[in-house]
Amino acid sequence: MSASIVAGGETRLQVLISRQQIAAAVERLAVEVRRDYRDVSPLLVGVLRGAFVFLADLVRALEMPLTLDFVRMASYGTGTETSGKPRIVHGLRSPVKGRHLLVVEDIVDTGLTTRFLLDYLGAKGAASVKLCALLSKPARRQVDVPIHYLGFTVPDRFVVGYGLDFAQQYRYLPDVCVLEGAGVP
Ligand code: IMP
């Protein structure tokens, strides 16, 4: 597969995790989550925008009572690298006190964004806060983040597709692909 460049030059896409592998992982994670939350109705917290595809598939695989809300995170600074100062652009609208929260993330990279979000939610009086991430890139981790439910560990490569973007492109790809080329981190 190849793709035309976002900002000039040539980019290459290579499938890293196929749609079939993703579907199997979503089913596996749903079994684990359903087992752990069978007595409570969790509040799933989707982290926009990257987690939207994963969250939609996970929710349908779960087939259990739950509620949903979303947060949108951003980093101070520009570019695709996390600047180290995450902030919440759009917070939760749902009451959190006493709820069992399951944060659903696309990828944990440095861990700075997720760590900030978990601390923020924990301070709001939730009964529990756990994390479900489709991908983890441990080679780049700067802070410790407990991932209770994990789809895949990925190498230190920039990945797109299945909701993940580069400069807002490639979210539509059904597979998780490595993106290479000029301007790609
Ligand atoms: P962290 O704070 O470094 O863990 O980065 C978290 C966010 O950076 C993720 O939620 C993604 O939006 C983005 N990100 C990190 N690595 C990648 C990647 O390989 N592809 C696409 N987005 C990424």
Side-chain angles (χ1 to χ4, degrees):
M1 212 185 324
S2 72
S4 58
I5 186 73
V6 180
E10 186 63 27
T11 50
R12 289 169 303 284
L13 286 166
Q14 195 177 14
V15 174
L16 179 67
I17 306 168
S18 71
R19 64 200 78 179
Q20 292 84 1
Q21 289 173 299
I22 295 170
V26 168
E27 287 300 327
R28 169 176 58 80
L29 293 172
V31 168
E32 293 174 25
V33 171
R34 210 164 35 233
R35 181 197 60 210
D36 294 351
Y37 290 86
R38 64 181 173 272
D39 298 327
V40 292
S41 166
L43 171 60
L44 266 59
V45 179
V47 184
L48 296 172
R49 297 174 190 156
F52 81 103
V53 179
F54 176 44
L55 180 67
D57 282 348
L58 182 66
V59 163
R60 285 175 291 180
L62 278 171
E63 292 192 60
M64 65 183 282
L66 55 83
T67 54
L68 267 186
D69 207 339
F70 296 91
V71 292
R72 181 144 175 230
M73 307 289 296
S75 289
Y76 291 103
T78 56
T80 50
E81 294 284 315
T82 304
S83 68
K85 287 200 182 73
R87 68 195 163 100
I88 294 165
V89 178
H90 178 95
L92 287 184
R93 295 294 180 260
S94 313
V96 163
K97 214 168 171 49
R99 295 297 306 273
H100 293 275
L101 270 51
L102 181 60
V103 175
V104 180
E105 268 274 22
D106 54 354
I107 183 167
V108 181
D109 185 26
T110 64
L112 292 167
T113 309
T114 316
R115 176 78 271 161
F116 181 85
L117 178 61
L118 294 177
D119 291 347
Y120 165 83
L121 295 172
K124 282 182 156 307
S128 68
V129 184
K130 285 185 168 186
L131 175 65
C132 177
L134 177 70
L135 306 173
S136 172
K137 218 190 271 183
R140 285 182 35 94
R141 200 75 91 248
Q142 290 181 26
V143 289
D144 196 34
V145 174
I147 306 179
H148 304 93
Y149 309 95
L150 175 63
F152 303 92
T153 297
V154 293
D156 188 7
R157 312 287 295 278
F158 198 82
V159 291
V160 295
Y162 198 67
L164 289 103
D165 77 306
F166 173 60
Q168 300 306 326
Q169 303 295 314
Y170 307 112
R171 292 192 199 274
Y172 64 89
L173 294 171
D175 310 298
V176 170
C177 301
V178 170
L179 179 69
E180 288 178 328
V184 179

